[in-house]
Amino acid sequence: MARQKKQPVENAFALFDVIYQDGARTSNRKVPTSDIDQFDRENSIRAFIEAQDRKIAEMSGNPRGPIKSITPSA
């Protein structure tokens, strides 16, 4: 019996560097491209990263400060 090839999975991510108001920086934060709104790009990226931060803070007990800026990773 011939083996069937697996279908490729669409896992497209955009990477962003995040700088917080306290000076902390996180690099290469993954945001699925399917979650990025083409008309309101910055706010949709910010909302996704803030949701990730809330989930991480909930699990670790260490909340993050407010986001100062978000830039695409090089």
Side-chain angles (χ1 to χ4, degrees):
M1 235 178 163
R3 216 178 204 189
Q4 289 183 337
K5 287 187 178 181
K6 290 183 180 179
Q7 294 294 326
V9 178
E10 290 290 327
N11 286 339
F13 290 96
L15 300 175
F16 295 92
D17 295 334
V18 180
I19 299 175
Y20 296 90
Q21 287 184 357
D22 64 357
R25 176 183 178 156
T26 57
S27 300
N28 298 326
R29 296 288 297 269
K30 287 184 179 181
V31 178
T33 55
S34 61
D35 287 348
I36 299 174
D37 183 6
Q38 296 303 317
F39 299 109
D40 195 11
R41 220 176 128 77
E42 185 174 336
N43 285 332
S44 62
I45 293 166
R46 181 179 295 269
F48 185 84
I49 291 175
E50 287 173 344
Q52 280 182 335
D53 285 347
R54 281 192 298 275
K55 185 175 179 182
I56 292 167
E58 185 179 295
M59 291 189 296
S60 71
N62 296 326
R64 282 282 188 184
I67 293 174
K68 182 177 181 180
S69 68
I70 300 173
T71 56
S73 295

